[in-house]
Amino acid sequence: MERVLIVDDHPLVRDGLRTVIAVAFDQTELFEAASIAEATAIIDREGDFDLVMLDLNMPDAQGFSGLAALRERFPALPIVIVSGAVEAGLVQGAISNGAAGFIPKSLKRSAIVAAVQSILNGNLFVPDEFAAPDDAELEEIRHRIDSLTPQQRVVLGLVVAGKLNKQIAWELDVSMTTVKAHVSAILAKMSCYSRTQAVIMAGKVHFTPPERERTSA
């Protein structure tokens, strides 16, 4: 993990998270923002981050509006909610709005580090007591995969097989631009922030891609 942005309007909370991350990931460059607007400006200026740690209660956001705004503007950016308020509705709401996880501020430092590492590994993290039932989680993954077009499911199958974009383009006889568009659409429809997370989700439901068709797209 190279760069992390901590977004919280309380300086003491930012200092605490900064210490946790700096100790556990000593090569990480840390940035701080006290509002959604400031966070947006920093991301626009600095480019990609490995992780954004976002508090739900921000001065320029209501409910999940801050998370939704950042996800819409930076769809490939992994954002984890770090909140002092912890209840089932908030956890599920955060995940539904595209968060990569939900970390309670009350967790011990070691547990916060473990949660961050799990998210970096492509997993969706929520506290055990708020984890969705297995059947519900699998049904939701199937629903997201069902929303893909046939060609997007073919591309997902190749991503799951570990193929690079240029290999996918060659195998399907399409342009790199087309492949990138398919991959972006797949991540958006599956509410994933990385190819790794999409592969993990597909694996949970034993995804089998349809027969491939070569096109001239």
Side-chain angles (χ1 to χ4, degrees), residues 94-153:
I95 301 305
S96 296
N97 280 276
F102 191 105
I103 301 176
K105 291 179 180 178
S106 58
L107 288 184
K108 295 180 179 180
R109 289 188 176 190
S110 59
I112 292 176
V113 171
V116 169
Q117 189 61 66
S118 177
I119 292 166
L120 293 174
N121 289 339
N123 298 311
L124 188 69
F125 177 85
V126 296
D128 289 340
E129 62 269 31
F130 297 108
D134 287 348
D135 288 347
E137 179 186 4
L138 297 179
E139 183 61 29
E140 177 62 23
I141 293 173
R142 293 189 187 99
H143 175 73
R144 294 179 185 182
I145 291 177
D146 285 346
S147 73
L148 303 179
T149 66
Q151 189 73 337
Q152 286 167 358
R153 287 196 287 273

Side-chain angles (χ1 to χ4, degrees), residues 20-32:
V20 170
I21 298 302
V23 170
F25 306 92
D26 59 356
Q27 299 300 313
T28 300
E29 186 177 7
L30 293 163
F31 294 77
E32 297 181 17

Side-chain angles (χ1 to χ4, degrees), residues 146-201:
D146 285 346
S147 73
L148 303 179
T149 66
Q151 189 73 337
Q152 286 167 358
R153 287 196 287 273
V154 169
V155 172
L156 176 59
L158 293 170
V159 170
V160 169
K163 302 290 186 179
L164 301 176
N165 282 357
K166 62 181 180 181
Q167 294 173 310
I168 296 173
W170 183 85
E171 291 199 26
L172 298 183
D173 193 22
V174 299
S175 69
M176 280 282 288
T177 300
T178 297
V179 173
K180 290 178 181 178
H182 280 318
V183 171
S184 294
I186 290 166
L187 296 183
K189 289 182 178 181
M190 293 182 66
S191 296
C192 294
Y193 57 85
S194 70
R195 294 164 71 108
T196 299
Q197 190 186 20
V199 169
I200 291 172
M201 290 177 66

Side-chain angles (χ1 to χ4, degrees), residues 45-107:
R45 183 185 73 235
E46 299 293 336
D48 289 339
F49 283 84
D50 296 290
L51 188 66
V52 174
M53 306 181 75
L54 172 66
D55 184 24
L56 270 181
N57 297 315
M58 300 301 294
D60 55 348
Q62 295 288 331
F64 299 106
S65 65
L67 169 62
L70 289 177
R71 289 291 296 140
E72 181 177 2
R73 188 177 180 92
F74 310 106
L77 189 64
I79 303 171
V80 59
I81 295 298
V82 184
S83 177
V86 183
E87 57 185 61
L90 290 177
V91 175
Q92 296 304 323
I95 301 305
S96 296
N97 280 276
F102 191 105
I103 301 176
K105 291 179 180 178
S106 58
L107 288 184

